[in-house]
PDB file of all heavy atoms in Angstrom:
ATOM      1  N   TYR A  29       1.683   0.632  29.197  1.00 59.00           N
ATOM      2  CA  TYR A  29       1.859   2.049  28.892  1.00 59.00           C
ATOM      3  C   TYR A  29       3.270   2.394  29.068  1.00 59.00           C
ATOM      4  O   TYR A  29       3.877   3.150  28.257  1.00 59.00           O
ATOM      5  CB  TYR A  29       0.945   2.864  29.775  1.00 59.00           C
ATOM      6  CG  TYR A  29       1.164   4.341  29.622  1.00 59.00           C
ATOM      7  CD1 TYR A  29       0.728   5.036  28.497  1.00 59.00           C
ATOM      8  CD2 TYR A  29       1.810   5.112  30.594  1.00 59.00           C
ATOM      9  CE1 TYR A  29       0.894   6.339  28.300  1.00 59.00           C
ATOM     10  CE2 TYR A  29       1.985   6.493  30.400  1.00 59.00           C
ATOM     11  CZ  TYR A  29       1.527   7.054  29.260  1.00 59.00           C
ATOM     12  OH  TYR A  29       1.768   8.419  29.091  1.00 59.00           O
ATOM     13  N   ARG A  30       3.916   2.026  30.167  1.00 61.00           N
ATOM     14  CA  ARG A  30       5.312   2.370  30.392  1.00 61.00           C
ATOM     15  C   ARG A  30       6.249   1.696  29.334  1.00 61.00           C
ATOM     16  O   ARG A  30       7.209   2.343  28.948  1.00 61.00           O
ATOM     17  CB  ARG A  30       5.762   1.920  31.801  1.00 61.00           C
ATOM     18  CG  ARG A  30       5.149   2.851  32.795  1.00 61.00           C
ATOM     19  CD  ARG A  30       5.719   2.643  34.202  1.00 61.00           C
ATOM     20  NE  ARG A  30       5.073   3.575  35.102  1.00 61.00           N
ATOM     21  CZ  ARG A  30       4.927   3.393  36.345  1.00 61.00           C
ATOM     22  NH1 ARG A  30       5.459   2.324  36.966  1.00 61.00           N
ATOM     23  NH2 ARG A  30       4.353   4.255  37.105  1.00 61.00           N
ATOM     24  N   GLY A  36      10.665   3.990  20.583  1.00 85.00           N
ATOM     25  CA  GLY A  36      11.000   5.194  19.870  1.00 85.00           C
ATOM     26  C   GLY A  36       9.857   5.639  18.962  1.00 85.00           C
ATOM     27  O   GLY A  36       8.900   5.011  18.769  1.00 85.00           O
ATOM     28  N   SER A  41       2.587   3.897   9.205  1.00 96.00           N
ATOM     29  CA  SER A  41       1.998   3.563   7.898  1.00 96.00           C
ATOM     30  C   SER A  41       2.197   4.770   6.967  1.00 96.00           C
ATOM     31  O   SER A  41       2.440   5.879   7.456  1.00 96.00           O
ATOM     32  CB  SER A  41       0.523   3.177   8.001  1.00 96.00           C
ATOM     33  OG  SER A  41      -0.228   4.277   8.488  1.00 96.00           O
ATOM     34  N   SER A  56       1.173  13.412  -3.501  1.00 98.00           N
ATOM     35  CA  SER A  56       0.885  13.597  -2.082  1.00 98.00           C
ATOM     36  C   SER A  56       1.045  12.310  -1.326  1.00 98.00           C
ATOM     37  O   SER A  56       0.574  11.258  -1.840  1.00 98.00           O
ATOM     38  CB  SER A  56      -0.596  14.115  -1.976  1.00 98.00           C
ATOM     39  OG  SER A  56      -0.854  14.368  -0.617  1.00 98.00           O
ATOM     40  N   PHE A  57       1.729  12.330  -0.244  1.00 98.00           N
ATOM     41  CA  PHE A  57       2.064  11.083   0.531  1.00 98.00           C
ATOM     42  C   PHE A  57       1.765  11.418   2.020  1.00 98.00           C
ATOM     43  O   PHE A  57       2.335  12.343   2.617  1.00 98.00           O
ATOM     44  CB  PHE A  57       3.580  10.734   0.419  1.00 98.00           C
ATOM     45  CG  PHE A  57       3.938  10.429  -1.032  1.00 98.00           C
ATOM     46  CD1 PHE A  57       4.172  11.421  -1.953  1.00 98.00           C
ATOM     47  CD2 PHE A  57       4.083   9.113  -1.376  1.00 98.00           C
ATOM     48  CE1 PHE A  57       4.560  11.097  -3.235  1.00 98.00           C
ATOM     49  CE2 PHE A  57       4.443   8.791  -2.702  1.00 98.00           C
ATOM     50  CZ  PHE A  57       4.688   9.799  -3.630  1.00 98.00           C
ATOM     51  N   SER A  62       3.958   6.986  15.168  1.00 94.00           N
ATOM     52  CA  SER A  62       3.567   6.248  16.379  1.00 94.00           C
ATOM     53  C   SER A  62       3.019   7.111  17.502  1.00 94.00           C
ATOM     54  O   SER A  62       2.548   6.580  18.449  1.00 94.00           O
ATOM     55  CB  SER A  62       4.732   5.360  16.832  1.00 94.00           C
ATOM     56  OG  SER A  62       5.841   6.173  17.113  1.00 94.00           O
ATOM     57  N   GLU A  68       7.158  21.857  15.028  1.00 97.00           N
ATOM     58  CA  GLU A  68       8.325  22.657  14.635  1.00 97.00           C
ATOM     59  C   GLU A  68       9.494  21.829  14.041  1.00 97.00           C
ATOM     60  O   GLU A  68      10.401  22.368  13.426  1.00 97.00           O
ATOM     61  CB  GLU A  68       8.804  23.588  15.786  1.00 97.00           C
ATOM     62  CG  GLU A  68       9.374  22.877  16.985  1.00 97.00           C
ATOM     63  CD  GLU A  68       8.349  22.289  17.941  1.00 97.00           C
ATOM     64  OE1 GLU A  68       7.110  22.390  17.758  1.00 97.00           O
ATOM     65  OE2 GLU A  68       8.803  21.648  18.979  1.00 97.00           O
ATOM     66  N   ASP A  74      12.728  16.484   4.572  1.00 95.00           N
ATOM     67  CA  ASP A  74      13.073  15.281   5.353  1.00 95.00           C
ATOM     68  C   ASP A  74      12.375  14.039   4.827  1.00 95.00           C
ATOM     69  O   ASP A  74      12.677  12.937   5.230  1.00 95.00           O
ATOM     70  CB  ASP A  74      12.761  15.473   6.831  1.00 95.00           C
ATOM     71  CG  ASP A  74      13.669  16.496   7.422  1.00 95.00           C
ATOM     72  OD1 ASP A  74      14.866  16.684   6.991  1.00 95.00           O
ATOM     73  OD2 ASP A  74      13.233  17.168   8.442  1.00 95.00           O
ATOM     74  N   GLY A  79      14.646   9.392  -3.544  1.00 97.00           N
ATOM     75  CA  GLY A  79      15.749  10.291  -3.336  1.00 97.00           C
ATOM     76  C   GLY A  79      15.370  11.765  -3.557  1.00 97.00           C
ATOM     77  O   GLY A  79      16.207  12.628  -3.355  1.00 97.00           O
ATOM     78  N   PHE A  85       4.486  20.472   2.960  1.00 98.00           N
ATOM     79  CA  PHE A  85       3.774  19.533   3.820  1.00 98.00           C
ATOM     80  C   PHE A  85       2.580  20.256   4.512  1.00 98.00           C
ATOM     81  O   PHE A  85       2.466  21.425   4.589  1.00 98.00           O
ATOM     82  CB  PHE A  85       4.693  18.943   4.847  1.00 98.00           C
ATOM     83  CG  PHE A  85       5.201  19.920   5.847  1.00 98.00           C
ATOM     84  CD1 PHE A  85       4.578  20.187   7.075  1.00 98.00           C
ATOM     85  CD2 PHE A  85       6.396  20.607   5.653  1.00 98.00           C
ATOM     86  CE1 PHE A  85       5.006  21.134   8.011  1.00 98.00           C
ATOM     87  CE2 PHE A  85       6.880  21.517   6.531  1.00 98.00           C
ATOM     88  CZ  PHE A  85       6.201  21.794   7.735  1.00 98.00           C
ATOM     89  N   VAL A 102       7.583  10.002  -8.929  1.00 97.00           N
ATOM     90  CA  VAL A 102       7.404   8.671  -9.480  1.00 97.00           C
ATOM     91  C   VAL A 102       7.385   8.846 -11.028  1.00 97.00           C
ATOM     92  O   VAL A 102       6.395   9.331 -11.580  1.00 97.00           O
ATOM     93  CB  VAL A 102       6.102   7.994  -8.956  1.00 97.00           C
ATOM     94  CG1 VAL A 102       5.901   6.712  -9.610  1.00 97.00           C
ATOM     95  CG2 VAL A 102       6.193   7.851  -7.476  1.00 97.00           C
ATOM     96  N   THR A 103       8.503   8.473 -11.667  1.00 96.00           N
ATOM     97  CA  THR A 103       8.609   8.735 -13.087  1.00 96.00           C
ATOM     98  C   THR A 103       8.606   7.522 -13.937  1.00 96.00           C
ATOM     99  O   THR A 103       8.616   7.622 -15.186  1.00 96.00           O
ATOM    100  CB  THR A 103       9.877   9.558 -13.412  1.00 96.00           C
ATOM    101  OG1 THR A 103      11.006   8.818 -12.915  1.00 96.00           O
ATOM    102  CG2 THR A 103       9.793  10.959 -12.707  1.00 96.00           C
ATOM    103  N   GLN A 114      16.951   8.975  10.250  1.00 96.00           N
ATOM    104  CA  GLN A 114      16.835   8.964  11.716  1.00 96.00           C
ATOM    105  C   GLN A 114      16.897  10.414  12.276  1.00 96.00           C
ATOM    106  O   GLN A 114      17.752  11.194  11.872  1.00 96.00           O
ATOM    107  CB  GLN A 114      17.920   8.099  12.354  1.00 96.00           C
ATOM    108  CG  GLN A 114      17.739   8.014  13.878  1.00 96.00           C
ATOM    109  CD  GLN A 114      18.748   7.043  14.473  1.00 96.00           C
ATOM    110  OE1 GLN A 114      19.407   6.269  13.753  1.00 96.00           O
ATOM    111  NE2 GLN A 114      18.760   6.965  15.761  1.00 96.00           N
ATOM    112  N   ALA A 128      14.903   5.762  11.764  1.00 97.00           N
ATOM    113  CA  ALA A 128      15.045   5.818  10.293  1.00 97.00           C
ATOM    114  C   ALA A 128      13.909   4.978   9.661  1.00 97.00           C
ATOM    115  O   ALA A 128      13.525   3.902  10.298  1.00 97.00           O
ATOM    116  CB  ALA A 128      16.400   5.297   9.875  1.00 97.00           C
ATOM    117  N   ASP A 134       4.653   0.001  -5.216  1.00 96.00           N
ATOM    118  CA  ASP A 134       4.790  -0.145  -6.640  1.00 96.00           C
ATOM    119  C   ASP A 134       3.872   0.782  -7.391  1.00 96.00           C
ATOM    120  O   ASP A 134       2.700   0.959  -7.034  1.00 96.00           O
ATOM    121  CB  ASP A 134       4.512  -1.581  -7.069  1.00 96.00           C
ATOM    122  CG  ASP A 134       5.626  -2.521  -6.603  1.00 96.00           C
ATOM    123  OD1 ASP A 134       6.747  -2.255  -6.938  1.00 96.00           O
ATOM    124  OD2 ASP A 134       5.311  -3.485  -5.918  1.00 96.00           O
ATOM    125  N   VAL A 153     -22.128 -23.924 -16.231  1.00 79.00           N
ATOM    126  CA  VAL A 153     -21.205 -24.982 -16.535  1.00 79.00           C
ATOM    127  C   VAL A 153     -21.774 -26.305 -16.007  1.00 79.00           C
ATOM    128  O   VAL A 153     -22.103 -26.388 -14.875  1.00 79.00           O
ATOM    129  CB  VAL A 153     -19.830 -24.737 -15.885  1.00 79.00           C
ATOM    130  CG1 VAL A 153     -18.886 -25.869 -16.155  1.00 79.00           C
ATOM    131  CG2 VAL A 153     -19.270 -23.398 -16.343  1.00 79.00           C
ATOM    132  N   PRO A 170       5.936 -17.462 -13.419  1.00 81.00           N
ATOM    133  CA  PRO A 170       5.410 -18.798 -13.077  1.00 81.00           C
ATOM    134  C   PRO A 170       5.774 -19.228 -11.636  1.00 81.00           C
ATOM    135  O   PRO A 170       4.996 -19.887 -11.002  1.00 81.00           O
ATOM    136  CB  PRO A 170       6.079 -19.758 -14.132  1.00 81.00           C
ATOM    137  CG  PRO A 170       6.328 -18.848 -15.291  1.00 81.00           C
ATOM    138  CD  PRO A 170       6.675 -17.475 -14.721  1.00 81.00           C
ATOM    139  N   LEU A 178      -6.005 -19.695  -5.922  1.00 76.00           N
ATOM    140  CA  LEU A 178      -7.331 -19.799  -6.402  1.00 76.00           C
ATOM    141  C   LEU A 178      -8.242 -20.097  -5.260  1.00 76.00           C
ATOM    142  O   LEU A 178      -7.982 -20.985  -4.434  1.00 76.00           O
ATOM    143  CB  LEU A 178      -7.418 -20.904  -7.456  1.00 76.00           C
ATOM    144  CG  LEU A 178      -8.824 -21.225  -8.039  1.00 76.00           C
ATOM    145  CD1 LEU A 178      -9.324 -20.003  -8.783  1.00 76.00           C
ATOM    146  CD2 LEU A 178      -8.815 -22.470  -8.886  1.00 76.00           C
TER     147      LEU A 178
END
Side-chain angles (χ1 to χ4, degrees):
Y29 176 72
R30 287 191 179 154
S41 64
S56 182
F57 298 78
S62 57
E68 67 278 2
D74 293 330
F85 64 90
V102 176
T103 59
Q114 182 172 352
D134 288 304
V153 177
L178 178 64

